[in-house]
């Protein structure tokens, strides 16, 4: 305390102790700012950590860049701790350092290094691209990780064989799991404006069950099998928009194909499993009413949606979906599966999540439709863990149906989230429900609300 | 009975240890106001333990050593938001009685003991996966 009055250009010598137990003796003028000190420490003579990732701690305080050493009251012989700062999961992106779009010094924001704006980068608008892109390439050394998507450096998506082989790999599953369990990734997904502004999509992301399914290799495999049996159109890989693929224009060829099929009553149906081949299709059960409404549904889903709202075929489809509650998937895949244009994109999840996110107009249309047809699906899905998705089931439905108010009691609607909150140690039921209501079903938001009292 | 170290000497000792970085790596502490002659208010930081949700995070705390310290434990309060069973979710106050190893306060426990125990509690299997509020938010 005695040397507080010392002239500010006086040199002081102190120790910087980094987390790897290295000690650096530093002699600098007292007037130096913390920011400058970090610059100095960032060189290979010292800690060799980029300045923006350094955190200096002295005397129980995190030092701020603009402060000078004398205002921090660092004294001769004292020790400053240097910590490699919260580059939120360095384990996860060893290959991506410097590549991620992080403004240096974004320290205060949650998960500092995760690109908040998903549009930055190659996988524009596609949240899943971030999951499979370069950040995971080389991680676990999984076979042929570079086959993934655009930022892996390859233009074309992987061919189905490779894809299948990869799916067999337990590492892949593990990796997916890890990604899905990583709060940063979820945050990233959540912060995508497309998801943030859409309560349904948000619910889907919030729901761990659904996330797991979305990333489930079996699910993807199923999709690929379907895609194979589909054969026609742009065929194989082309019609399967991989995560990471940046091209978001639907293959026109395929599109027109489906539409015309719908209009002609599926005269040349065989290549399309949705049109008539229902019996042979192992997934027919997942798409109730597929036989009835598929043609029109496929056409409608591809952007013609709004206009097609009154097509009889589609009505049938939507009804079919609502009449088959026993199948737990029905409410997810049901009307949505058809209306949503499954002729084009075969995986209902992928389709719903991805195609929509890539196409803002479609998103809007969906939102409008959800107001109408969606209500039926949601009401029925009451006990379904996928209740959040339930609304989507009906989204292909006709627009003219009046929107029924959602009467599901909150404890049912938020069953999964409540369970989660309970697991976290929030036991006050009423408060939990209130918090979930306020946060629109977001567990994260609810936790924040609960914590802030 | 051995002589008791008076509060002031004890705190000066801790201050030196904190400033010189002689203690454990993962915790740091020091006086809030350098000219606080009573050495009542302190700052502390805890580095989130590795292999937990806290990894790479830095938590700031306030430590208040009342006139009875070290006969009675200090008041410890989180400034950074954290979700831990031993921390009051409304004001960040640490309930030391929920930390088994220091629930029974002993005179030779120090602020460092407290910080280290809190950190250990963060890394406990039951707590290391608890969802945490975004980094940088404060109580």
């Amino acid at each position: 305390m005695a040397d507080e009055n010392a002239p500010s250009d006086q040199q002081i010598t102190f120790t910087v102790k980094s987390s790897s137990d290295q000690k650096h003796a530093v002699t600098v003028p007292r007037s130096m700012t913390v920011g400058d000190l970090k610059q100095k420490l960032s060189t290979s003579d010292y800690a060799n950590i980029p300045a923006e990732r350094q955190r200096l701690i002295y005397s129980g305080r995190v030092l701020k860049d603009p402060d000078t050493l004398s205002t921090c009251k660092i004294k001769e012989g004292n020790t400053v701790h240097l910590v490699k700062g919260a580059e939120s999961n360095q384990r996860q992106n060893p290959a991506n350092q410097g590549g991620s779009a992080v403004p240096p010094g974004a320290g205060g924001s949650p998960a500092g290094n995760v690109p908040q704006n998903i549009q930055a980068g190659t996988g524009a608008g596609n949240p899943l691209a971030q999951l499979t892109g370069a950040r995971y390439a080389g991680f676990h050394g999984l076979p042929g990780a570079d086959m993934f998507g655009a930022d892996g450096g390859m233009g074309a998506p992987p061919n189905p064989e490779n894809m299948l082989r990869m799916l067999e790999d337990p590492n892949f599953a593990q990796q997916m799991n890890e990604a899905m369990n990583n709060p940063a990734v979820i945050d990233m997904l959540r912060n995508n404006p497309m998801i943030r502004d859409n309560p349904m999509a948000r619910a889907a992301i919030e729901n761990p069950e659904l996330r797991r399914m979305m990333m489930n290799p079996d699910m993807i495999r199923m999709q690929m099998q379907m895609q194979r049996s589909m054969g026609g159109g742009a065929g194989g890989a082309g019609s399967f928009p991989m995560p990471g693929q940046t091209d978001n224009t639907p293959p026109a060829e395929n599109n027109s194909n489906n539409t015309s099929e719908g209009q002609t009553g599926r005269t040349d149906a065989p290549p399309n499993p949705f049109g008539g081949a229902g019996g042979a299709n192992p997934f027919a059960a997942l798409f109730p009413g597929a036989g009835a409404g598929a043609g029109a549904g496929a056409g409608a889903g591809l952007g013609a949606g709004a206009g097609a709202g009154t097509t009889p075929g589609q009505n049938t489809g939507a009804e079919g979906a609502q009449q088959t509650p026993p199948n737990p998937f029905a409410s997810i895949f049901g009307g949505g599966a058809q209306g949503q244009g499954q002729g084009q994109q075969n995986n209902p999840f992928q389709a719903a999540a991805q195609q929509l996110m890539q196409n803002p107009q479609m998103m809007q249309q969906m939102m409008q439709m959800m107001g109408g047809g969606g209500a039926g699906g949601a009401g029925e899905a009451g006990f379904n863990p996928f209740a959040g998705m339930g609304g989507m089931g009906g989204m292909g439905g006709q627009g003219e149906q009046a929107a029924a108010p959602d009467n599901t009691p909150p404890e049912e609607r938020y069953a999964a989230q409540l369970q989660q909150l309970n697991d976290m140690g929030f036991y006050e039921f009423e408060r939990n429900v209130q918090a979930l209501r306020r946060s629109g079903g977001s567990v994260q938001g609810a936790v924040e609300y609960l914590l802030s009292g | 009975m051995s002589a008791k170290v008076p509060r002031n000497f004890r705190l000066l000792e801790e201050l030196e240890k904190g400033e010189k970085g002689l203690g454990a790596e993962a915790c740091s502490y020091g006086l809030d106001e350098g000219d606080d002659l009573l050495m009542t208010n302190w700052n502390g930081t805890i580095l989130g333990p590795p292999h937990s949700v806290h990894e790479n995070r830095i938590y700031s705390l306030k430590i208040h050593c009342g006139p009875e310290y070290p006969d009675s434990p200090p008041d410890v309060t989180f400034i950074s938001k954290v979700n831990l069973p031993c921390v009051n979710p409304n004001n960040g106050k640490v309930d030391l009685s929920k930390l088994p190893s220091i629930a029974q306060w002993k005179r030779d426990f120090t602020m460092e003991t407290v910080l280290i125990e809190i950190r250990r509690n963060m890394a406990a299997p039951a707590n290391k996966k608890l969802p945490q509020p975004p980094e940088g938010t404060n109580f």
Side-chain angles (χ1 to χ4, degrees):
Chain A
M1 290 164 224
D3 42 38
E4 249 168 76
N5 299 325
S8 62
D9 56 345
Q10 194 190 328
Q11 302 269 320
I12 44 167
T13 304
F14 55 91
T15 312
V16 176
K17 208 169 166 185
S18 71
S19 43
S20 50
D21 239 352
Q22 285 174 303
K23 285 184 189 171
H24 311 282
V26 181
T27 306
V28 291
R30 221 168 253 285
S31 55
M32 192 181 220
T33 64
V34 173
D36 292 340
L37 176 62
K38 285 183 180 175
Q39 287 299 336
K40 186 180 168 82
L41 291 173
S42 67
T43 61
S44 52
D45 295 345
Y46 295 99
N48 205 6
I49 298 173
E52 59 271 15
R53 293 196 51 191
Q54 294 178 25
R55 305 283 182 275
L56 292 175
I57 299 175
Y58 171 68
S59 201
R61 257 181 298 212
V62 181
L63 305 183
K64 297 189 190 77
D65 284 0
D67 289 352
T68 65
L69 301 183
S70 55
T71 42
C72 299
K73 304 197 177 80
I74 295 176
K75 284 171 269 172
E76 190 78 23
N78 281 350
T79 297
V80 175
H81 292 272
L82 167 62
V83 184
K84 209 166 174 180
E87 175 92 358
S88 84
N89 243 322
Q90 356 162 359
R91 290 178 296 137
Q92 303 243 357
N93 53 356
N96 203 22
Q97 300 207 350
S100 60
V102 196
S109 68
N113 74 321
V114 178
Q116 299 285 311
N117 174 7
I118 221 138
Q119 256 79 354
T122 39
N126 180 355
L128 297 175
Q130 301 287 345
L131 297 180
T132 50
R135 93 177 27 226
Y136 292 104
F139 184 49
H140 283 320
L142 76 150
D146 59 343
M147 68 166 78
F148 267 139
D151 29 8
M154 287 180 59
N159 74 31
E161 281 71 33
N162 283 348
M163 186 77 189
L164 270 181
R165 193 149 35 82
M166 189 179 61
L167 291 176
E168 310 284 326
D169 187 339
N171 279 339
F172 178 80
Q174 194 190 344
Q175 193 191 8
M176 276 307 195
N177 250 334
E178 186 146 341
M180 288 284 86
N181 286 333
N182 180 351
V185 172
I186 304 303
D187 257 3
M188 197 169 69
L189 286 175
R190 199 173 330 192
N191 282 328
N192 180 336
M194 286 300 181
I195 296 181
R196 198 180 43 212
D197 301 337
N198 176 354
M200 283 304 175
R202 203 174 51 208
I205 298 289
E206 301 294 347
N207 186 336
E209 294 291 331
L210 207 53
R211 278 202 312 257
R212 213 170 305 136
M213 280 187 83
M214 237 155 73
M215 287 300 134
N216 184 346
D218 288 335
M219 215 62 214
I220 302 176
R221 201 197 322 258
M222 199 163 91
Q223 167 192 18
M224 288 179 43
Q225 282 166 1
M226 281 175 72
Q227 176 187 316
R228 283 180 173 177
S229 64
M230 169 112 170
S239 62
F240 174 27
M242 270 302 295
Q245 192 187 10
T246 49
D247 178 8
N248 52 11
T249 46
E253 202 187 341
N254 216 1
N255 185 354
S256 58
N257 216 6
N258 288 328
T259 318
S260 66
E261 244 172 56
Q263 283 159 355
T264 57
R266 320 184 300 273
T267 38
D268 56 340
N272 182 346
F274 292 106
N281 181 350
F283 304 108
L286 298 182
F287 304 105
L302 288 170
T310 48
T311 326
Q314 202 179 10
N315 288 345
T316 332
E319 275 158 31
Q322 288 173 3
Q323 282 159 4
T324 43
N327 181 345
F329 292 101
S331 53
I332 304 178
F333 295 163
Q338 290 137 265
Q340 224 3 74
Q342 289 310 301
Q344 161 65 326
Q345 300 218 355
N346 301 313
N347 182 340
F349 285 123
Q350 210 94 348
Q354 219 173 19
Q355 165 100 5
L356 280 171
M357 280 158 205
Q358 287 174 351
N359 183 349
Q361 280 135 13
M362 196 135 165
M363 187 71 134
Q364 273 174 358
Q365 269 173 20
M366 184 183 96
M367 298 287 278
Q368 283 164 0
M369 286 180 173
M370 255 188 304
E380 237 169 42
F383 289 98
N384 187 323
F386 307 113
M389 201 66 175
M392 285 186 150
M395 78 192 137
Q398 60 282 45
E400 71 246 36
Q401 190 178 326
D406 187 354
N407 288 328
T408 332
E411 56 267 36
E412 269 177 33
R413 208 173 342 143
Y414 296 133
Q417 289 99 318
L418 282 169
Q419 174 69 41
Q420 244 178 309
L421 284 175
N422 257 317
D423 291 344
M424 291 175 197
F426 297 102
Y427 299 119
E428 290 172 74
F429 178 79
E430 293 298 335
R431 278 193 76 202
N432 290 356
V433 169
Q434 193 194 4
L436 280 168
R437 282 192 135 147
R438 278 176 184 256
S439 67
S442 151
V443 173
Q444 173 100 359
V447 167
E448 215 142 287
Y449 172 76
L450 289 169
L451 288 181
S452 65
Chain B
M1 203 171 129
S2 65
K4 281 187 179 179
V5 183
R7 177 180 183 277
N8 274 10
F9 286 8
R10 166 67 179 272
L11 285 173
L12 277 174
E13 216 173 279
E14 292 197 41
L15 178 63
E16 185 181 352
K17 204 174 167 192
E19 286 185 338
K20 296 239 162 96
L22 303 173
E25 288 288 303
C27 303
S28 168
Y29 47 93
L31 273 181
D32 187 29
E33 298 284 336
D35 48 5
D36 178 3
L37 292 177
L38 293 174
M39 294 179 283
T40 305
N41 293 312
W42 296 67
N43 291 315
T45 52
I46 297 177
L47 297 186
H51 314 299
S52 70
V53 286
H54 309 283
E55 182 162 14
N56 282 329
R57 288 191 177 207
I58 299 171
Y59 293 96
S60 306
L61 303 92
K62 272 188 303 202
I63 307 172
H64 178 93
C65 293
E68 302 301 320
Y69 182 87
D71 289 312
S72 55
D75 292 330
V76 184
T77 311
F78 268 88
I79 300 173
S80 320
K81 270 203 177 180
V82 69
N83 175 21
L84 275 180
C86 64
V87 177
N88 183 323
N90 295 322
N91 55 20
K93 205 165 181 326
V94 180
D95 186 349
L96 295 181
S97 67
K98 288 192 184 155
L99 292 168
S101 42
I102 50 173
Q104 279 292 333
W105 182 256
K106 290 206 191 89
R107 201 167 194 283
D108 38 330
F109 289 158
T110 61
M111 288 180 275
E112 187 184 354
T113 321
V114 176
L115 294 177
I116 288 174
E117 282 310 317
I118 296 174
R119 183 170 186 263
R120 185 181 306 179
N121 189 254
M122 287 176 170
N127 298 338
K128 67 178 181 186
K129 292 266 153 67
L130 284 180
Q132 295 299 327
E135 196 176 4
T137 49
N138 291 336
F139 280 109

